[in-house]
């Protein structure tokens, strides 16, 4: 499994993500990548430099949690660069209901990330602007991020106020921010 495969570097491993923004994040026991496939590319963020050799011919799985599709917020597509926002269970002032959704927006009102609450910690992928296109389709470096929670029972959206445990509420390519307190 992925935990065993990564065991030699687990003490230094912060996060692994794929091109779709799915993550293996040991800190939160999250794996939205599912199987790691030889020949596919993965980006790894480490505490310190380590040497690692990917075992050939292995498919790996670690508590795979498939992401539920959002109903209210549109699916946000890859722009080629992103950051990861951690929304741990303990940070919520009032825990969302299973099926509630979190949407992330830039200052211009563009939806740049969305996910569905499934009763666990959340990893929310925030997409940056694709500089190879003429339209702004994501966040610029340093742009402020705002968050909204959609209640699946009432259909009401509300603005979330986030205080950060790690990082800040602005976009940085390949950055990681972790909420310390989420007020709704």
């Amino acid at each position: 499994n992925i935990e065993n495969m990564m065991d030699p570097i687990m003490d230094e491993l912060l996060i692994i993500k794929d091109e779709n923004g799915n993550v293996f994040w040991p800190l939160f026991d999250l794996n939205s990548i599912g199987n790691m496939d030889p020949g596919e590319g993965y980006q790894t963020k480490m505490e310190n430099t380590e040497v690692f050799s990917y075992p050939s011919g292995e498919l790996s799985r670690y508590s795979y949690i498939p992401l539920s599709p959002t109903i209210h917020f549109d699916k946000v597509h890859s722009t080629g660069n992103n950051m990861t926002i951690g929304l741990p269970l303990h940070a919520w002032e009032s825990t969302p209901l299973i099926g509630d959704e979190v949407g992330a927006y830039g200052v211009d009102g563009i939806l740049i990330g969305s996910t569905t609450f499934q009763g666990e910690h959340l990893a929310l992928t925030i997409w940056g602007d694709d500089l190879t296109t003429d339209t702004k389709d994501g966040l610029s470096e340093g742009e402020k991020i705002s968050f909204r929670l959609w209640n699946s029972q009432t259909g009401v959206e509300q603005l979330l106020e986030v205080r950060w445990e790690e990082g800040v509420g602005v976009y940085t390519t390949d950055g990681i921010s972790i909420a310390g307190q989420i007020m709704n």
Side-chain angles (χ1 to χ4, degrees), residues 12-28:
E12 301 297 328
L13 177 65
L14 295 176
I15 195 168
I16 298 173
K17 61 184 182 177
D18 67 13
E19 75 238 10
N20 298 313
N22 297 314
V23 299
F24 171 65
W25 201 350
L27 176 66
F28 294 117

Side-chain angles (χ1 to χ4, degrees), residues 17-114:
K17 61 184 182 177
D18 67 13
E19 75 238 10
N20 298 313
N22 297 314
V23 299
F24 171 65
W25 201 350
L27 176 66
F28 294 117
D29 195 28
L30 286 173
N31 179 14
S32 59
I33 291 175
N35 290 336
M36 290 184 69
D37 297 319
E40 292 293 318
Y42 299 93
Q43 187 175 20
T44 305
K45 187 166 188 167
M46 306 290 292
E47 196 69 50
N48 294 297
T49 303
E50 289 284 331
V51 175
F52 176 75
S53 181
Y54 190 93
S56 65
E58 284 191 30
L59 294 177
S60 301
R61 185 168 285 231
Y62 173 78
S63 303
Y64 176 52
I65 301 170
L67 297 176
S68 294
T70 54
I71 297 167
H72 178 72
F73 294 115
D74 291 335
K75 181 175 176 11
V76 180
H77 298 284
S78 170
T79 60
N81 64 85
N82 63 54
M83 76 177 288
T84 305
I85 302 287
L87 303 172
L89 278 176
H90 70 268
W92 291 92
E93 177 183 75
S94 178
T95 306
L97 302 171
I98 292 175
D100 288 358
E101 298 177 14
V102 177
Y105 290 87
V107 294
D108 50 10
I110 295 175
L111 179 70
I112 42 83
S114 63

Side-chain angles (χ1 to χ4, degrees), residues 73 101-105 111 113-115 124 146-150 160:
F73 294 115
E101 298 177 14
V102 177
Y105 290 87
L111 179 70
S114 63
T115 192
L124 176 60
S146 64
F147 300 90
R148 298 183 79 59
L149 177 69
W150 175 73
L160 296 174

